[in-house]
Amino acid sequence: MTLRIHNSDKVLRAPQAIIFDTDNTLYAYDHPHTQALAAAESKAVRLLGVDPGEVRNAFAQAREDVKRQLGKTASSHSRLLYFQRGIEILGRKTQLVITLDLEQTYWRTFLAHCELFPGVREFLLALRSSGIGTAIITDLTSQIQFRKIIYFGLDDCFDYVVTSEEAGADKPQEAPFRLAIDKLGIDPAQIWMIGDHPVNDIAGARPFGISTLLRVDRSHEAKGTGCDVEFDDFTELHHYFFSGKVDGIQKR
């Protein structure tokens, strides 16, 4: 697909700041997650002496249990809690050393398989050089999301980072958006939000009057999302933004 503009009134004027989601917006989440979970499960099989199928089922059940217990909060995404609960489901009681080992294995493997989408870094650097503010709103705990941003070498590309741990709630709840807006100190009508999730990112930002851009998978059209723009390529978004079509942005 190519970039699709659904509401030109919202995105033909330059924003003062752009807020980004992280997972599945700046990079593809599924592949590193699959590799990381496989590495953690394999280590659990070795350390606990349990059948691979039992480990897989226990960890899947643990994830459901933790999410049901904690609701839409940062800690509901905690791999540490998933592994702790999974080991307990396997009848091993709480095993702190193994739990920490599995969590470190998961994230070490995850980061080793992460790769930014093409054009992300160039777009962010161009925004910075043009004086456009930047921020992140992302679910999960602060430590691992900070680690991801640093791993990608993007820690100097954002003015502010808001995690759901800091805000006290996951998207699409109001708190993360309100906190990011307060940090930026900018009228929401002058902010764009770029994310991949029609509900968490797009529906969450819309009530504030923020212009919304949905990153979708290539050759996939996200219908009925209410977003102002759909795109699947940051390089194309970059070209559009600096093409002279966005009022207030110098053509490059």
Side-chain angles (χ1 to χ4, degrees):
M1 78 171 248
T2 57
L3 184 145
R4 295 189 179 99
I5 300 174
H6 300 301
N7 187 351
S8 59
D9 290 341
K10 295 279 282 185
V11 291
L12 289 181
R13 298 187 303 275
Q16 293 183 24
I18 299 180
I19 298 173
F20 294 80
D21 171 54
T22 302
D23 302 318
N24 270 333
T25 296
L26 302 182
Y27 75 100
Y29 170 86
D30 288 346
H31 175 66
H33 167 67
T34 298
Q35 297 298 315
L37 187 58
E41 289 176 349
S42 177
K43 175 165 282 191
V45 168
R46 295 197 308 272
L47 294 178
L48 298 172
V50 180
D51 178 78
E54 290 184 65
V55 169
R56 189 173 303 111
N57 291 338
F59 287 168
Q61 182 61 53
R63 181 178 182 273
E64 293 180 10
D65 289 352
V66 170
K67 286 188 173 295
R68 184 171 54 253
Q69 175 74 24
L70 297 177
K72 290 186 70 62
T73 61
S75 54
S76 72
H77 306 281
S78 171
R79 273 54 178 184
L80 193 70
L81 297 181
Y82 296 171
F83 295 138
Q84 177 189 358
R85 178 64 183 139
I87 292 169
E88 292 167 355
I89 289 172
L90 289 168
R92 298 301 197 272
K93 300 183 179 179
T94 300
Q95 299 289 330
L96 297 182
V97 173
I98 295 176
T99 298
L100 287 167
D101 191 356
L102 296 180
E103 194 246 4
Q104 289 299 312
T105 296
Y106 177 92
W107 286 119
R108 184 169 56 248
T109 307
F110 186 99
L111 292 173
H113 289 85
C114 281
E115 186 174 353
L116 284 175
F117 288 127
V120 167
R121 188 186 308 277
E122 292 77 11
F123 183 52
L124 288 168
L125 291 175
L127 293 176
R128 299 290 277 175
S129 66
S130 298
I132 306 297
T134 52
I136 280 178
I137 299 177
T138 183
D139 291 340
L140 226 161
T141 53
S142 297
Q143 185 188 59
I144 187 56
Q145 297 303 72
F146 290 0
R147 284 176 63 188
K148 289 178 187 176
I149 296 165
I150 293 169
Y151 175 82
F152 288 132
L154 300 179
D155 44 305
D156 61 348
C157 289
F158 296 100
D159 297 312
Y160 299 102
V161 175
V162 171
T163 66
S164 59
E165 180 180 26
E166 179 187 12
D170 280 352
K171 297 175 293 183
Q173 297 178 76
E174 177 181 331
F177 295 95
R178 174 56 61 196
L179 183 55
I181 292 167
D182 289 346
K183 287 188 178 189
L184 286 166
I186 294 172
D187 180 352
Q190 304 301 318
I191 297 174
W192 290 8
M193 173 77 200
I194 297 179
D196 73 293
H197 200 286
V199 175
N200 294 346
D201 299 318
I202 304 306
R206 195 183 305 124
F208 293 93
I210 294 172
S211 299
T212 55
L213 291 78
L214 182 70
R215 192 209 69 78
V216 300
D217 291 332
R218 191 174 297 276
S219 300
H220 172 72
E221 182 176 0
K223 297 181 180 179
T225 65
C227 65
D228 298 309
V229 173
E230 290 177 57
F231 74 99
D232 62 4
D233 184 345
F234 271 96
T235 300
E236 185 176 12
L237 178 62
H238 186 161
H239 289 163
Y240 166 75
F241 195 84
F242 293 101
S243 66
K245 297 177 182 177
V246 178
D247 186 38
I249 297 295
Q250 186 176 358
K251 186 175 181 178
R252 289 176 175 235

